Structures are given as C-alpha cells and as structure tokens.
Amino acid sequence: MGRHYIPNSAHKEEMLKEIGFKSIEDLFSDVPKGFVKEFNLPEGKSEYEIFLEMNEILNKNKTILEMPTFLGAGAYFHYVPAHVKYLIERSEFITSYTPYQAEISQGMLQALFEYQSLVGELVGLEIVNASMYDWGTAMAEAALMSARVTKKEKFIVPTHLHPERKKVLHTYTAGPGLEIEYVKWNERGQLDVEDLKEKVESAAGVYIEIPNFFGLIEEQVKEIGEIAHDAGALFVVGVDPTILGVIKAPGDLGADIVVGETSFLGSALNFGGPRAGILAVKNERKLIRQMPGRVIGMTKDAEGKRAFVMTLQTREQHIRRAKATSNICSNEALVAVAAAIHMATLGPKGLQQLGEIILKNTAYFKERISEVAEIPFDGINFKDVLVRFEVPYDIIHEELLKRNIHGGFYLRPHFQELGESALFAVTETTRKEWVEILIENLKEIINMARL
Amino acid sequence: MGRHYIPNSAHKEEMLKEIGFKSIEDLFSDVPKGFVKEFNLPEGKSEYEIFLEMNEILNKNKTILEMPTFLGAGAYFHYVPAHVKYLIERSEFITSYTPYQAEISQGMLQALFEYQSLVGELVGLEIVNASMYDWGTAMAEAALMSARVTKKEKFIVPTHLHPERKKVLHTYTAGPGLEIEYVKWNERGQLDVEDLKEKVESAAGVYIEIPNFFGLIEEQVKEIGEIAHDAGALFVVGVDPTILGVIKAPGDLGADIVVGETSFLGSALNFGGPRAGILAVKNERKLIRQMPGRVIGMTKDAEGKRAFVMTLQTREQHIRRAKATSNICSNEALVAVAAAIHMATLGPKGLQQLGEIILKNTAYFKERISEVAEIPFDGINFKDVLVRFEVPYDIIHEELLKRNIHGGFYLRPHFQELGESALFAVTETTRKEWVEILIENLKEIINMARL
Amino acid sequence: WKEPLIFELSKPGRVGFTLPAPIENIKIQIPEHLKRDQLELPELSEPEIVRHYTRLSEMNYGVDSGMYPLGSCTMKYNPKINEEFANHPKATLIHPYQDERTVQGALQIMWELEQWLKEITGMDRFTLQPAAGANGEFAGVMIIRAYHLDKGETQRNEIIVPDSAHGTNPASAAMAGFKVIEIPSNEQGMVDLEALENAVSERTAGIMLTNPNTLGIFEEDILEIAKIVHKAGGLLYYDGANLNGILGKIRPGDMGFDVVHINLHKTFSTPHGGGGPGAGPVGVKEHLVEYLPVPLVEFDGEKYYLNYDLPKSIGKVKEFYGNFTVLVRALTYLKMMGREGLKEVSEIAVLNANYLTQKLKGTKGYELPHKELRKHEVVFSAEPMKKDTGVKTLDVAKRLLDFGLHAPTIYFPLIVHEALMIEPTETVSKEDLDAYVEALKQISKEAYTNPEIVKTAPHNTAVRRVDDVLAAKKPIITWRMYKQLKEKGEVDY
Amino acid sequence: WKEPLIFELSKPGRVGFTLPAPIENIKIQIPEHLKRDQLELPELSEPEIVRHYTRLSEMNYGVDSGMYPLGSCTMKYNPKINEEFANHPKATLIHPYQDERTVQGALQIMWELEQWLKEITGMDRFTLQPAAGANGEFAGVMIIRAYHLDKGETQRNEIIVPDSAHGTNPASAAMAGFKVIEIPSNEQGMVDLEALENAVSERTAGIMLTNPNTLGIFEEDILEIAKIVHKAGGLLYYDGANLNGILGKIRPGDMGFDVVHINLHKTFSTPHGGGGPGAGPVGVKEHLVEYLPVPLVEFDGEKYYLNYDLPKSIGKVKEFYGNFTVLVRALTYLKMMGREGLKEVSEIAVLNANYLTQKLKGTKGYELPHKELRKHEVVFSAEPMKKDTGVKTLDVAKRLLDFGLHAPTIYFPLIVHEALMIEPTETVSKEDLDAYVEALKQISKEAYTNPEIVKTAPHNTAVRRVDDVLAAKKPIITWRMYKQLKEKGEVDY
C-alpha cells in the first residue's frame, strides 16, 4: 500500500507526542462529524503485482509498429531520438516544479529560454512563450488575444479546420462571445481568397494553417496576410514545425501571431497527449502585453553574471487574477524541452532534410495511392493526403484492419461534402514495404467490393 | 553512419592544416603498405532504422512474462524495483570509468563502499571486494586463493555442483594445476560428510553452497567448516544472497571466504549476464593479501573530511603485473551498485520477508508438483526443487512448450544418475495461476504418455 | 558554473542526427516565395548536446534533490515505476484515432482511472481531458455556465471567489465570461458566512472553493456554505489543488460540491516536469454529466469505447483525450496505494504539516496567523521579521536555498503579509522536517544579528540573486533578441 | 558536499519496499542453528534511497560530464539508443536456459555480433563469453596453452610481453600457468626486434601485443615480429584495448595475430559502468577454433543454436554466454556506424590525438618521448616539470580536475617517467581539445610560477585531495569495520 513512499508512517506516535497531539484523529478534529468514511476502493498492491497488471492492460493495445498505420490528421508518428527521451527523464528536470526559485532552477530556465529561441528562429518571430497545452488551445488563445488587441469580436478560420481544433476554438470563445466565421476552400483545396475578402471586415484575426487540414501547402499565405492587415485584423498562422526547414518562416510571411504543435518534435504519439502548443508573437508592445502564458527571460544576477528568470508575469493569473490574459498556469514545459533538444539535434541541415524527406515520402505515397483511388486536390502535400474512394470508406477500413493494416482518418463524419474520403498520412518513418502492403491490399479490397 | 557522434568529422581539413598534415592518410603513414583495406561490412544506418531492426530481432524472443516459466538452476526471475533501474542508468554512474580520480568519483566510490558494507552485513565478514564477474569466477578465484594461502593444491567441492560453475572452476584451475576433488551427496541430497572426511586431507579449501544445487539447504554447515579447519583447509561457502534474511550469515557459520551471486539483487535475468560475483573474506592479513579484485576503502581528504578511494591495490595487476593475485581489472561495478540499492531498499525486514516468501512459495510448489511427480530428496528447498518424472523429461518439456509453458532444467545430460529429473524453480515472482496451469498440464501430459 | 547557450556551442558543419533516406528521391518544387532561405539553428553533435543538457539538469533542483515544500503545489516524491509505464511503447506508440478495438488497453486505463477518481471525490462522472488544473477549472466553470444557460437562467453571470483563492480561480471564471465577486475571509482564515450571504443573488452562477483552503485550514462551515449557495441557485466548484490534505478520508462530493477538478501532478504523484505536463480531470454530479466535454470513455461490460454523443457538451478544452501518459502514471500510483495507502497519504501529510507548524511556531520573526490546526500546509507570516530587521520573506526564501533546500511558496495567499506557505507532503522524513525548521530558525537568528547575509542571499547557488526587475525592464526572450541587443551594445551579460 | 553513508540515514521502522504476498502462508521451520538472528541493514523509504543515490551520482564524473581522456581506456560517448535495447524487456526478461526456439532473437544478436567482429579483426571465430578484457586475455592464453598441449608441446611454458604492456597481460599469462618473459622497447617506443629474437625459443608459447601500443605508436615491424614468433613455434595474441586507433582500416588478423580480444566497452561504445560490466570477446584463427570456450552460437540457415560439441574446448571462463546486454549495445552501435562509420571513428580518433599532441608539444615542462606520429593516444612525460619545479604528474592530474576536466591515465606505461597518457577518442570536439591543451599549458605556467596551487590541487571538487596512503595503512573496507574503529576512537572521519 505504498508505505515505502511515506517515511514517517513508522513514526506517528513519536511525532504526535512531540507536538502534543494524541492521535491522528485529533488532527482532523475540524472536520464535521460523519464526513470521514471508508472508501470503496481496492487494497494497495506491491510494485511487482502492479507491474504484471499494467503490462497486461497495456498489452491490449496494438502499436503502430505492430501494424502499418496511415493515420495522421494532427498526430504523426515521428521518431524520437533516444537521447531526447533519456535527457528529459533526468529527475532534476522531470521532477522539478515551475521554476519559481530562479537561483536553483537555472537548468530548466535556460532550457526553456533555448526552446523559445529555437522556436523563434523557426517561425521568424522574437517573442515566444514557454508553451501552451497544444496547438488547439494555442490557436484558441490567439483568437481571444486578437480580440483583446483589436477590440473586435470576430475571428476568421478556414472551413477545412481540424475538427479537434474547431471544437476547442468554440469552447474557448463561447464565454467572451467571439463570433467564428468560416471561409470556404476552393477547387484546389486552398483557402478561397475571394470568400475571405467578403468576410474579413471587422475581423479581429484571420487564421490559416501550413499545411492545411488536407495536408496541402497553402500557396497564398502572403496575400491572405495582407488582406487581414488591410482590414485591421491580426494575421494568425498555425504551423507544423517540421515543415519549417523547407517553408519560409511565417514571421517572414507577415504573421503577427504564430501557433502550432511543438510535440511533433521530441515527443511520441502518446495516444494524443501530452502535446505542447507553440505561441509566438511579433516584438510589439501591444501584442506582448496581451499574450498568454509563461515567458522566460534573460537577465543577470547580483554579480552581473548571465541568468534566466520567469518574466513579464504581470500578464499572468497569479498576479493579475481575473484580469489576466489567460488562466494558464501549468503549461507543457517538459514537452517544450524535449522539442528544444530535438531541434538542437536536427540543426538547420537536419530540419531541412526532415522536411524534404517528408515531402518526398508524401509525393511517393500520393503516386502509389492514386493507383487505387482519387486525389481530389492537386498541390504539394506534406504528411496528410486526402484520398477519395469509390467504395464506402468504413468498409475499406474494416477490411484493412482484418489484414492488420490501419487506414486513414475517415472524413465523412466531419465533412460530408467530401464523400468517401479519408486523410492518409506518411512521415519520415514510413517504410516502403508498408505502402506496398497497403496498396496491394487496397487493390484486393476494391476489386472484391466491385464484384 | 554515426557521424553525429563525431564532432570533428566536419573539421578534418581545418585541424590537419593547423598541425601541418596534409591528409588523414598522412596520419597512417606508419602502417605497412597494403594493410589498409576496405571492409566487407554493411553500410551505416539511421537510428530509426536500427530501432526498427533491433525491435524486430528482439521480438523473436519470448519472455518469461509471455509464458509461465519454471527455470532456475542458477538464474532466477526476481523483480527489480523501477527506481533501481532508473538510478543506475544515470549517466554519471553508468558512463564513468573505474574511479581512478577519487576526487571526482566520490559518488561511485561511496556507492561501492556501501555495496561492500551491505554484503559484509549479509555474509557476516568484514572484508568484501567491489565484485567479481559472477559466482562461478568468484568461486574459482577463491579456489586459487585458498591454494596460495595454504600452499596446498587440492580443492574440494560437492559432486552436486552447478555444471556452469564446474566448468569455470576447471578452466581457472587448469593453469596452476589444482586438483579438484568431488564429495558425494547422501540419500537426503545433502553433502556426504563421511565422504568429505575421507577426502579432506591436504585440501587447500572445502567448498559448499547454501542452498545446494538441488535447492536444498545444507544442514551441516558448521560441521563441514570444522572438518575443513581441522584439516588445515579454508572453508569456502557459496551463497545465494536472497536466502540471507532467513539463514545465518556464513561468516557466523565458520566460513573463511564467502562467494555468491550478487546480481540476484537488483539485476534482471539478462539471458545470463551481466552478473556479479560476491567475494568476501575474514579480516585476516594473510587472506586480505591474497584476495583478488578491486577494493574500496574509507579515508580522509587533505582537509580531514571523510572520503573514499580504491585501496589495497598492491595485490592488483596494474601494480604487481605477473605476480598479482588475479588478472581482474574491469569488474561488475554497476551490477554491484544495483545490488546495493536493492539491498538498501529491502532493509532487514524486506530481506527477511523475501526469504520467507520464497521459502513458502517453494514449499507450496513442492506440495503441488508432488501430485504428479516424485521429489527424491526431503529437506527444505529454496527456489529450486529436484523433481523426478516417470515419463522422459524431454517429452514433457516438448509438450509443455507446445502449451506455452516452460518447464525446468533437465538434469539427465549433467547427472545421469538422477534419471528423468529436472530442477524446477520458483521465487517471490511466481504466481499461483502459473503453478496451477503447470500442474494441470503436467497431469494431462503424463496421463497421455501413460496411454 | 556558467553553461553557454546552445547557440554559442554551435560550430558550422556539425550534425547531431542521421535521418533515414526518403523512399524515393522525388524532386519537389516549393514555390519560390514560400521557400525557406535561411535558418539559424545551432549545429552540434550528439555528444555535445547530451553534455549540454546533462549539465543544465545538474543546475536544477527536483524532488529527487531534496525537500520541495511549495505550498499548494504538493511536491511529493514521484515513484519511478510510474515512468516505466508512461514510457512503455504500448502507451507511447499508439495514435489517438486508432480503431477502438486496437486501443482497448488505453481506454481501460482511462476508464479505470475515472472509477478511482469518482470514488475518491464522490462525483458521478469525470472527464480526463484537461491538461492542467487551470484547464480543468475552465472546463468546470464552462460546465456551470452551460447548466445555467440550459436551464434558461441567462442572468447568472457571477462567480464568487474567496480572497484566499488561487489566482487561477478568478482567471478561469473570467475566461468563461463570468464576473468575479471576491469575498473576504474571516479572522480564522475561513470563508466569512455573512459576506457570502450578502454576495449571493439570482446572478450567482457558483462559488469556487478550495478545501482545505490555501491557508491549509479546513473550511469547517462547508455544509453551511453549500446550503447558502445552492439555495441561491448557484453551484459549488471544488479546486482540487489541496486534495492531498483530505485524501482517502473525506470527499468533496459529500460536502456538497457539484464540480471538482483534481491535479494529478499534485495529489497523484505524476511529475511536474518543470511546469508541465500535468493533468486536471474534472468530475461532476449526475445533473451536470450531460455538459461534460466530449468524448467520455464508456465500458459496456465487454469493451471500452469513446462516447461523443453528448449534444449539450461544452465541446472540448483540449485536443484529443488529455495528457494520456500522465493518466497512466496516476493510475499506476493509485493501484499501488489502494484504499489504506491513500488514507495514509493524507494522514501523514497532515501530521507532517502540523509537526512543522508546532516546531516552528514561536520562532522570533515568524508569526502564525489564523487557526493553529492545519491540514496539509501552513502559512506563516514573516511580517514581524520585516518590521524588526528589514529582512523580507523573499530574503528568507533565497537564504533557504543556501541550505540546499527549496523555498516555500511566498507572498501567497495574498491575505497574509510576507507569507511563507509551506507544504511538506507525506514523502518527507522527520529528519527533513527538523532540518527545515532548523534552517528557518537559523535564518531568523541571522536576520536579527547579521541581516546582510540574508538580504544578499543566496550565496552558494549556481547564480547569485537573479535580477527580475531588469528582466522585465529589458525583456530578452529569444536568442534573436539577445543578438540584436548585444550588437547594439545594450547588454553585457 | 558530504553525503552520509546509507547506514547513517537509517531510522528504525522505515521500509523501502512492498513485496507480494506468498502464494500460501505455509510455515517453514529453519533449524535453529541455521536461523538468522540479526541483520544490520539500513532502514529507509524509497524517496530517501532515491535522493541518496541521486546525490551520489551528482558527485561523480561520467562521459556525459565532459572530456574523459584516460589513455588505453577509450572513453567515447555512449549512445543512448544502446541503452534502449539493453533495457528492453525482450532482452532482460529471458532466462539463459530457455529452449532455443524461444530465444532466437538473443541468439541472432550474438551471431550477428560475431560476424561483425570477425570481419573487423580478420579472425575466423569468436567467443562472446568473457566478461571483460582481462577475462578475455585469460581465455586467449588458455587457448594458446590448449593448442600447444594438444600438439604435445608441453615444454612451451613462456609468454613474451613487452615492457610497455598493460598489467593484465602478464597477470593473465601467469594465471594460465605461464612464465612471463618481459622484453624492452627500443627508443622509438616499439618492440626491440633483437630482444625479441633473443627471447624466443622452443619454450615460447606466444607473445602478447597491443598495436597501436600503449604509447599510441603503431608497431611498424609487426610483420617481422609475427614472423619471428611464428617461426619459433609461438602464437601471437592481440590485446584489443587499443583497437580504436586502427578500427575499420587495418585488421589484427592481417598482421599475423592468431588470437584477439576486443573490449566492447572501449571500442564499441558500451558504457563502463564505473568499472563494469564490460565484455571481452575473443577471436581466433581457424587452427584455434576447436579450443574456444563452450558454447558457440551457430546458424544453420534457418535457426540459431548453441553448440556445446567442442571436445577440446578450454571449458568456460564465465557462467552462461557472457554479458548479454553489453553485447546488445555493441551490436546496436555497429549497425548504426557501418563500414564507413567505423573507419571514420579511427580516422578522427587519430586526428584528435595528433592534434592534441602537436598543440601541446613544446609546452614547458612536458616532454614528448619516442616518435611524434601517434595513433589514438599519446604519452607525454612531465619529468622536466618535476625536475624544475617539484610538481609531479599526480599534481598535474589533480589540478586538471579543478578545470572540470578528467585527468589522463598517469604513471603508465611504466617505461615513461611521470607519464601522462592521453586518449581523446573521436567523440570530443576541437573546442574540447583546445580547452584541454589550454588547461595543461595553464598548469605548466602555474607550476613554474606558483607550484603550491598545483601541489595542493584539487581545490574545486567535492572533496580535496584524497589520502590513499592512509586508506592502505588503516584499511576500512566495510561499515562494520568502520563502526569498530569508530568505537575504539581510532577514526575521526
């Protein structure tokens, strides 16, 4: 029952006596009568028993290594180098709290400063916070922030927005009553710029993603930014950081705020979490003052030596309470550190290579899948590819699963207009054999269905 | 190809130039012509590819968690607490060398001193070295040491000695030409004391084990020690340290030298290695001077503060060269530290409980297995139990394996006189269900064979 | 010592990686205007990276380094066995959109964890989605909002919060669009019932409470409070940050709370990672279940599945299903501790806090305002010391670092001047507590005899006292900012 | 700082464990005379144990802490990916006596590793059994012994060893029952051919050589040496400690060696663990295969199996099959590096050693005896410094620690007075090398201007210079010895 974690279990009497109490119950004398109860919970167990039990439960999962898997749609199988995992498991990092005492937290503070700096280089902006919960909440907070900065109440997003992020955005903006307006996609799966122009008036912010939900690289990023700026709106760009070795920094494309998912670097899939959100803004006072989240700054110590510390805290809840720019307190620091280590590992060449490999693998996949299905949108894909089938996709999914292959993310429940489509994804981890097995089996399944 | 481990790969020209060389080949100009060749080896791969490849290979193994397994015979499935594994993987420990520079190696030195101290308490002796390779080599070195100390050339061991240790002993004693004499077991599976008395004359050492190879607790330890001492021989006891919470310290039973396997505490099975050998001796000058291996001692630093350092090095090969007490240099330090952490975790109560649980589980197993087979020797068993079947054991083994159960260690190839016997083992990790499945299936198999 | 920034360790040409080759070498033409042309990341080899972050880690204090008694943070020991399952390939290499039949283990973990949390808190259902306490608070107040709107009570736009509350409480309420009404504590450090009576109205959506509160004091009048708020039509929200003080003995649900959030990274031993990831599951009573975020994890007796069919749901407060590997850790811990273990946790946590309270009480310079009996934490005031010697709480905190100890939470709760908020948790030893008290007494002695040594502390740390005013005045947030300022000669550090 | 001994942290009643219950509570009666009656182990809880060993680890220097240029030790960076497979349940939770059909993966790993080692060394078969270099040497010389005995050459009882050899070489030969004949090096630091000619006879069983030798010098006359020894009927043994200097470029087998051992924990990046576990596989040419230890790992094209059928085998030098998880690490490394990678290793290792040699050369107080061109390591002599200033090599080594650097191997090889034996390896950066040279130059300056600071070094370490004379004079090897001496008042530390 875990008494081995509780050193003083053996010294109750001794300690009570020293402080003049008779029993543990005395320490709970302030609790109203009848409150204390016996809980209906299992007895504690030994570590070995838990080891067997948890192994048994976990073994019910089938990992992506155990079946070729083509799921993406906002969560991707990237390889995490072993040293990244080792380093963030060092107890000085993982068991520390938010670095309130800077003098004994320089390691975590500097690591987070480096995270901010590396993200700053990637996205081309100077102000980066120490992480949000994930891309979705970072985007939602960017929407709220846009409204505070511009004092307007409409936020424009693409119709082809990730269903998860769509839901998060709606929940986050419900309280303050922001209006969410959707802009259509055009026949090439790109944002319909004409539609945007019609809707942009009185917008607090305009949001697009690189790549977009269909895996396509949006081609008119600069133009969209200009349309937003002309209308007095902030330009908010969501980005998958693994593309930034091959695509220009959003900051250089006009973005005022950049959000994204930093766990694509340095973290495993983890069934969807922990993740960590990127939030970066231009170096402008009005933006900095309204940004959410924790920020680490460089300063010096009493001897003039370089040091790091949490800074710009007057925006935060523990100081500003109800008037804070956000309620965020715990963030995803360790995920950010893992991303920093992974970014430092890749360096400029590695990040470029990573982007290129993914582009090439995606192109290869597109080529192969087009043997058996339709690709409704041309353009350059990164990771995700929208694929349309003649056969109902749920049937295909079932058949693939029987053959120990996991297909893509079924789109019909979310975008009925796309019919029997699914998002299939590849990354640098995808093996040629996996694609071959998929195509082979798809051919068989489709032929079977045709009969 | 691993260039990411080699920082200066990118700076060859720069560095060569600085030191006045033209090419890498210049640095190898002292190598006779024609020696340098292209090797017939695979190309290097990325970490991710190796990750897939090694996983695939390792997945061909079936672990003891994947089938109830009753193997023991010198290697046992004990549970290793998670914190032990975490701590020894800390890079300051695992990536350090032998602690030659004491001032920056106090952590490893103190941990090893604690290992020596904990083993000292367990075995009841004051002098313990910082580890041998394993029980077998520790025993073999104890034999050599006995010969040096007593200037005699015969070493007495039980006939029921582990086949692995038997082989190691023969190899180690071949050079100096020690004679190995075997003493029989009696009808209870215990050492035949009468036989010993006949053979003990002119022996350098007499060796017994607790428990013995049949898993039985030798009952006449003190008597055997006295017989050895009366004949002027050293009394060497091999011990499984996990029994020492319930059995008296060998030092208190008359042992001059204690050897054993320390990896039973803190290490996994690891397919048989790494392991680590215990070697402890009485606090007597002539023994200390002849003992093999590295020893850590307590001392003080220039300011009088307690410190630790490698000591008594004049016995060792780097000082004494051909006259050293052993050639051992690298030992099994990290395995010893793991054992120390595990011992500290168990403490006196835990070690006693562990011993008791194993005794009880072994007794339970004996009771159950006797439903289907014969137990030739009575007495108290610890972990191993010698079981004799009516049916050839290789057939039983095959049938069990088909049913996803791994039986015991077949004895016939090693001790023909024991017939269709096998050593079956249990520990604190053995589950009731496993035993039940085994008995059920054994019944079925034996019935089937009878038909 | 000073460790350079990773950028400063860079040397062009070095690589820290080897990537697999692409499947086929297909040429892709990125449009010129979108093509990346420069990227100033550092270039290092793997050994250098490992050494850099190893050294940084050694400049950081964690729970494994020693006592870490941050009040309201519950920095207990994080069992290593938790990590083993959190890092298990069967937990890390699964995709959130996998067919449910292929992730039954993951869903079982979530479902089992929910059952534990329900019994521990006395609530009827839980969402495990929130990534942190504040994220949970936001979900909770959004549920309260949805409930009132659903009932047509659109006028309920106020959330009541005591002045001793965590800052996240008012911030979360505000984020959900509520007006925050703050009420004062009474001199015993508890909710002032009269003030509460005056604050409630038909505009009251609910009250957010911590119990034991941030002073470590159990709100004895909790049943009365619940009655007042419920009578006014409001709901009670329980901030679970301080659950460790009553764990396994008393349940928020039994006290009348309608919504509860729990910090798994506090009470249930998952490590805080230097600021996250955490997890803030939210539990509700039956009448609020339909507003929970989607999806819920269900079990039909045979298989586990995700239920998105909640038309009145508040939606989502985070992508996917929460910080899954944090949930794995918490469940591991719960299974290990079991019923008696959890009770032992709060009993010893409370014993430790009161032991420290009684041992420190009466030391010159520190005052113990409010009631003496505490639960898991205690708040002292160093106001007398400040008055007598000019030594501030901040100085005391910094001086503690010189003893190899972590400071308590300081200047919080706001209602105590020069507050020192100490929460030892159940995983510290008596010797640790004695050493902590001894250090605080020693500092008191120093303050009254040689205040300079305290005011200029710390002296034995990797850096001396850090200038946070400069940090705010001249923000340097990234390497690119630093380089610019450096070029202009505006920084010398 | 000072961390108490684990015994000193004990408090009676504490437990650090929870064990599973026995299957059935059967009472066992241990005979009274064998029953344990006292056991003085420390009593601690898990958090205390973790903190203790975490603190100890922080008082230790590893490869991840910085440059670690111990000569002949090849302290290269240990890739973390190696650890992942060494700790994989599929590697750790298998029993050595499992049916071969259930451990095909483990056997494949051993078989594949053998294929790599064969090609790298030019040998025909390997045993992976030896646990360390010295254990491998013992196996190797026992094979040489078995060979001669089998041929009826019972008079061959001498092994020749150069005076620059590692101490393990003569010790291993002696353990195998051989007489050791030491021969001097010539002034170039290589084997003196004339001395060798004089040493060989019909009693010569073999010669043990390291090439590059312990001075880091390649034995240019190796073919001549081989010829002399073979002609006399002896065999050539290759001590692989220095293989890193020729890896992937030159093979001992091609130089005429008959037996080779390799230190996987040096050349193939497996961590040394503060002294072990290592692994010392031994390879032999065809004519010696039948004497290898049992079992060998075989592959019949379909399955892997263990072959015990070697009637002339020397037997076993260790239980089971060697340090398996060390083998896993080495194979991982080899697969990653591949052909060009291994070549790159030795080329850069040699470049780094010569870079350091040239940069340090000419610094006052340090002398570079023998040839200039080195392979993976270099040996300087601080004899001039000692003569000039009284500062000994030991002092220089200790002073290096103050710079946050690990000292080189000192006072070895024995043929160089005041030796500093430096092996940087390929995993250090140019900056590391420059910093190391800079530190040695600085120490030279100090020696000639302010020798006291060097003689009393180190100053910035966890403890000051450790008194090893006292340690040997008054041995305290265990807690129980310490307690006795303490009681008698004989120790004050």
Side-chain angles (χ1 to χ4, degrees), chain C residues 123-426:
Chain C
M123 305 312 262
D124 294 313
R125 285 280 341 225
F126 261 86
T127 175
L128 306 174
Q129 192 174 84
N135 200 212
E137 291 178 20
F138 175 65
V141 289
M142 286 300 288
I143 288 167
I144 292 174
R145 180 178 176 275
Y147 170 82
H148 291 306
L149 290 180
D150 194 30
K151 297 277 165 292
E153 307 224 27
T154 50
Q155 84 291 353
R156 293 200 179 269
N157 65 348
E158 292 180 358
I159 291 273
I160 300 169
V161 170
D163 58 1
S164 66
H166 297 120
T168 48
N169 292 175
S172 298
M175 241 175 116
F178 287 107
K179 200 176 141 194
V180 176
I181 310 294
E182 199 177 273
I183 55 167
S185 305
N186 64 22
E187 52 194 34
Q188 293 227 70
M190 301 191 291
V191 168
D192 185 320
L193 289 185
E194 217 177 277
L196 178 62
E197 286 274 21
N198 293 336
V200 295
S201 73
E202 73 289 351
R203 290 184 308 280
T204 302
I207 184 170
M208 297 180 85
L209 270 188
T210 317
N211 194 15
N213 66 26
T214 57
L215 296 163
I217 292 172
F218 192 84
E219 297 278 359
E220 292 186 17
D221 303 323
I222 182 61
L223 292 178
E224 189 59 23
I225 294 170
K227 213 197 274 170
I228 294 168
V229 175
H230 279 150
K231 206 174 141 202
L235 298 177
L236 273 82
Y237 182 96
Y238 182 85
D239 173 346
N242 294 352
L243 184 64
N244 213 49
I246 57 169
L247 184 62
K249 290 184 76 87
I250 314 168
R251 314 196 307 174
D254 297 340
M255 302 178 204
F257 285 96
D258 304 283
V259 190
V260 161
H261 94 257
I262 288 178
N263 300 76
L264 298 185
H265 49 287
K266 296 180 179 177
T267 323
F268 298 121
S269 86
T270 77
H272 199 259
V282 170
V284 296
K285 287 276 178 66
E286 191 56 44
H287 54 289
L288 298 175
V289 171
E290 54 187 337
Y291 309 106
L292 281 169
V294 284
L296 294 177
V297 181
E298 311 276 3
F299 181 50
D300 68 7
E302 267 185 24
K303 60 176 197 312
Y304 302 90
Y305 63 97
L306 295 169
N307 175 11
Y308 281 91
D309 189 22
L310 275 85
K312 294 183 177 174
S313 162
I314 61 161
K316 273 178 155 293
V317 297
K318 183 173 187 329
E319 297 174 3
F320 305 113
Y321 327 119
N323 284 345
F324 175 69
T325 54
V326 177
L327 311 179
V328 173
R329 290 177 174 100
L331 181 63
T332 305
Y333 177 74
L334 284 166
K335 279 175 183 278
M336 191 118 57
M337 302 304 285
R339 187 173 47 75
E340 344 82 83
L342 295 177
K343 196 172 135 196
E344 185 83 359
V345 163
S346 62
E347 291 189 349
I348 304 293
V350 170
L351 172 61
N352 286 349
N354 281 285
Y355 179 85
L356 184 139
T357 305
Q358 294 301 323
K359 289 276 174 171
L360 184 58
K361 201 184 62 175
T363 304
K364 198 171 172 191
Y366 309 113
E367 191 177 53
L368 180 62
H370 312 298
K371 288 177 60 171
E372 278 212 3
L373 184 60
R374 304 289 166 130
K375 295 274 95 45
H376 62 298
E377 67 189 359
V378 62
V379 181
F380 278 89
S381 167
E383 183 78 1
M385 190 181 294
K386 189 180 163 193
K387 275 198 192 126
D388 298 344
T389 70
V391 167
K392 299 191 300 285
T393 284
L394 180 70
D395 303 323
V396 175
K398 295 303 177 194
R399 183 63 180 148
L400 274 169
L401 311 183
D402 282 333
F403 291 80
L405 300 168
H406 199 286
T409 298
I410 52 175
Y411 299 112
F412 186 83
L414 306 176
I415 57 171
V416 175
H417 291 159
E418 299 295 314
L420 286 159
M421 184 195 202
I422 314 175
E423 180 180 10
T425 85
E426 74 282 5

Side-chain angles (χ1 to χ4, degrees), chain A residues 352-398:
Chain A
Q352 191 190 344
Q353 257 187 48
L354 178 64
E356 280 167 2
I357 295 167
I358 294 174
L359 281 173
K360 286 175 203 289
N361 284 359
T362 314
Y364 171 79
F365 178 79
K366 251 170 106 170
E367 215 176 285
R368 297 300 314 270
I369 193 91
S370 67
E371 293 172 18
V372 293
E374 186 200 351
I375 313 277
F377 302 128
D378 64 355
I380 302 174
N381 284 75
F382 189 79
K383 295 184 184 172
D384 287 301
V385 179
L386 198 161
V387 181
R388 187 144 61 198
F389 294 92
E390 300 167 37
V391 182
Y393 185 71
D394 43 0
I395 293 175
I396 293 178
H397 170 77
E398 279 298 315

